[in-house]
Amino acid sequence: MNTVLLHPAYFGPVSQYAVIAQYEKIVFENFDSYQKQTYRNRMYIYDANGKLLLNIPVKHKSSLTGKESDGHQLYKEVLIDNSFEWQKQHWRALKASYQTSPFFEFYEDDIVHLYEQQFAHLMDFNYQCQAFVFDALGIEPEIKQSEEYFRNPKEMDNGRHLISAKKDFNFSATPYQQVFEPKHGFINNLSILDLIFNLGPQSLEFLENQKLPDFNF
């Protein structure tokens, strides 16, 4: 198959972008239920102390309705809780972690606006993050957004499970140079930003040559 079904993520992991780089057509799921502890609202970067979690605070359904939640809320309906200064915190963390990387300054002006402009919906913000990545990688994949929930996808591979931040799905990236590698060693499958800031224009070729994560899940 040359089409894969994925979730839009917050600067998703290298594994997800290896899939995107190696498929001809991408369908993004827009009608799934929101789940916690996924790359929908979190990413992992490499700072001076090792692996660092950056988490976007969201407004849960119960806080919006004032009623006890049944746990079901569509991803596309999830609102960012901008009462927290999470954008300033995330941008400071990115600068502290990557300002000495080979390509951070090259991309800085193209990404900083994402942390200066407030977004209401998490999914809208994630699509803007994704647009930056596509531009940085120099790719224009054929993309569609789903118009319904695909319970049992047909005629495309199902990569939606890759949104989980708790499993690695047998993905081991070829080690590349990371800023703090001499201190902590290579850390696998961080945010795509880690790859872009360290490899720059070579990032796409790197992704195209990775063994893809496990789809038999």
Side-chain angles (χ1 to χ4, degrees):
M1 295 185 181
N2 63 1
T3 303
V4 63
L5 179 64
L6 298 170
H7 289 296
Y10 176 35
F11 288 121
V14 172
S15 56
Q16 188 183 55
Y17 278 94
V19 171
I20 290 173
Q22 295 182 44
Y23 272 76
E24 294 179 9
K25 301 177 182 179
I26 316 296
V27 177
F28 283 106
E29 175 66 82
N30 275 7
F31 287 87
D32 63 305
S33 294
Y34 180 77
Q35 297 176 6
K36 300 177 182 179
Q37 297 185 333
T38 69
Y39 293 118
R40 291 175 177 87
N41 72 320
R42 64 175 56 192
M43 67 169 164
Y44 291 96
I45 63 173
Y46 200 156
D47 81 343
N49 295 312
K51 191 175 182 179
L52 176 67
L53 167 65
L54 298 182
N55 189 75
I56 300 175
V58 299
K59 297 180 180 180
H60 297 289
K61 189 175 181 180
S62 57
S63 66
L64 298 174
T65 63
K67 300 178 181 179
E68 184 175 350
S69 173
D70 60 5
H72 295 289
Q73 183 178 15
L74 290 181
Y75 177 12
K76 67 176 184 176
E77 297 174 347
V78 172
L79 298 175
I80 297 174
D81 189 346
N82 287 308
S83 65
F84 296 91
E85 292 189 335
W86 67 272
Q87 288 172 293
K88 289 183 178 180
Q89 294 171 0
H90 288 202
W91 182 243
R92 288 171 185 164
L94 286 170
K95 288 203 70 170
S97 297
Y98 295 108
Q99 61 186 350
T100 60
S101 66
F103 294 97
F104 179 79
E105 289 187 357
F106 182 81
Y107 296 107
E108 182 177 3
D109 290 343
D110 293 327
I111 191 175
V112 66
H113 71 92
L114 293 172
Y115 292 95
E116 296 174 337
Q117 173 188 353
Q118 284 195 354
F119 292 80
H121 288 86
L122 177 63
M123 181 177 283
D124 292 340
F125 175 70
N126 287 348
Y127 273 125
Q128 290 299 310
C129 294
Q130 182 175 272
F132 163 80
V133 175
F134 288 170
D135 186 61
L137 295 177
I139 59 174
E140 296 182 3
E142 183 177 336
I143 292 175
K144 292 184 179 180
Q145 297 181 17
S146 68
E147 298 179 356
E148 61 180 324
Y149 178 71
F150 294 106
R151 186 171 298 278
N152 296 302
K154 297 180 180 179
E155 299 181 355
M156 59 181 146
D157 289 330
N158 186 3
R160 289 180 296 189
H161 58 282
L162 300 177
I163 200 70
S164 174
K166 301 176 70 175
K167 299 180 180 179
D168 61 15
F169 305 107
N170 297 321
F171 178 78
S172 296
T174 304
Y176 56 90
Q177 182 178 351
Q178 295 172 317
V179 176
F180 300 105
E181 182 181 0
K183 186 176 181 180
H184 299 290
F186 177 75
I187 299 182
N188 181 56
N189 206 29
L190 296 174
S191 165
I192 187 64
L193 292 182
D194 185 80
L195 184 74
I196 290 173
F197 292 152
N198 283 297
L199 294 190
Q202 296 180 327
S203 298
L204 179 58
E205 181 180 0
F206 177 92
L207 293 168
E208 291 173 337
N209 286 286
Q210 298 308 297
K211 181 179 178 181
L212 295 183
D214 189 1
F215 276 73
N216 297 317
F217 186 82

